[in-house]
Amino acid sequence: MGVEVDLPSGAVSVTTAWSEPDDDSRGVVAIAHGAGAGMDHPFLVGFAEALRVSGFTTVRFNFPYVEAGRRMPGPAAHAVLTWRAVVDSIRAERPDAAIWACGKSYGGRMASMAVAEGLQVDGLVYLGYPLHPPGKPEKPRVEHLPAVRPPQLFVEGTNDPFVQPLSQLEEAVASCQDATIAWIDGGGHSFEVKGSTRPADAVGAGLAPVVVDFIAEVRSGG
């Protein structure tokens, strides 16, 4: 299934993949990929399948640069427009459903920028938020985060080079309106743990319970 995105240079279509739970859906989780891989990366496939088993509809999607066969992300504005188009398409299909924006690294940061600029979702989940380039904590990507109004969950590995020192992320999260961190002990940027040989799909699936608990807490008003 494709979704049309109106970019400044003209409309393009991005691929989406819907997956439905066996019973009534508990909501829709839109899932964006990281900068270096598209929506079919095993990590995201495993993560989405675990959410589906937990009762959620999932919608994975590509950004335009991936559809064009490029390896490097395009302008952030293009990713923000893509997030808007995908959420609009979900809302057209499921007007009464709760919609959660979730992204791996770059995809999550682009979601936060879209929401800071007014995109309406029920909450956001970041799988490895890229707080700054590795080794460059003096270049944080946080200015827009206090403008994000829906609840936010930062799922972060304690060995992720994008969030060292960890206290810097804690300070950024403290500046947000409604945000928490779920630390994955020993996890790197892709949540790999030294000495572990789990495949990427299993690693992704292993994060789903944290996200399910977050959504349940938000919906209960906790």
Side-chain angles (χ1 to χ4, degrees):
M1 178 179 176
V3 169
E4 188 171 280
V5 183
D6 290 323
L7 300 181
S9 57
V12 299
S13 180
V14 297
T15 304
T16 63
W18 286 66
S19 185
E20 301 285 358
D22 294 334
D23 300 316
D24 291 342
S25 178
R26 300 171 62 185
V28 182
V29 182
I31 305 171
H33 58 79
M39 71 178 195
D40 290 328
H41 190 281
F43 174 93
L44 291 186
V45 172
F47 174 71
E49 174 59 14
L51 287 179
R52 186 196 70 79
V53 171
S54 296
F56 291 90
T57 298
T58 64
V59 182
R60 290 177 289 115
F61 66 93
N62 281 332
F63 288 114
Y65 75 94
V66 171
E67 297 287 352
R70 297 193 296 270
R71 297 184 64 182
M72 297 299 293
H78 291 189
V80 168
L81 289 170
T82 304
W83 262 112
R84 288 186 174 276
V86 169
V87 170
D88 285 348
S89 72
I90 294 171
R91 193 160 281 125
E93 291 285 333
R94 306 288 169 83
D96 298 323
I99 301 176
W100 308 84
C102 177
K104 174 71 178 76
S105 190
Y106 167 84
R109 184 166 72 94
M110 296 298 104
S112 69
M113 293 175 65
V115 173
E117 293 177 14
L119 178 65
Q120 299 294 312
V121 294
D122 289 83
L124 299 99
V125 175
Y126 312 117
L127 305 177
Y129 187 88
L131 183 67
H132 56 68
K136 297 182 178 180
E138 72 279 5
K139 296 184 177 181
R141 300 152 170 163
V142 298
E143 288 185 358
H144 65 289
L145 290 179
V148 176
R149 300 186 67 179
Q152 302 173 82
L153 174 66
F154 292 75
V155 185
E156 302 289 344
T158 58
N159 286 338
D160 185 350
F162 286 78
V163 294
Q164 304 297 329
L166 303 183
S167 59
Q168 187 175 11
L169 179 64
E170 292 171 339
E171 291 170 2
V173 169
S175 75
C176 296
Q177 298 186 44
D178 184 354
T180 57
I181 307 174
W183 291 112
I184 305 301
D185 190 39
H189 191 55
S190 294
F191 301 96
E192 72 285 358
V193 176
K194 187 176 181 180
S196 174
T197 58
R198 288 192 305 161
D201 59 341
V203 173
L207 300 180
V210 177
V211 177
V212 171
D213 288 348
F214 164 73
I215 292 175
E217 183 175 358
V218 171
R219 300 189 73 170
S220 70

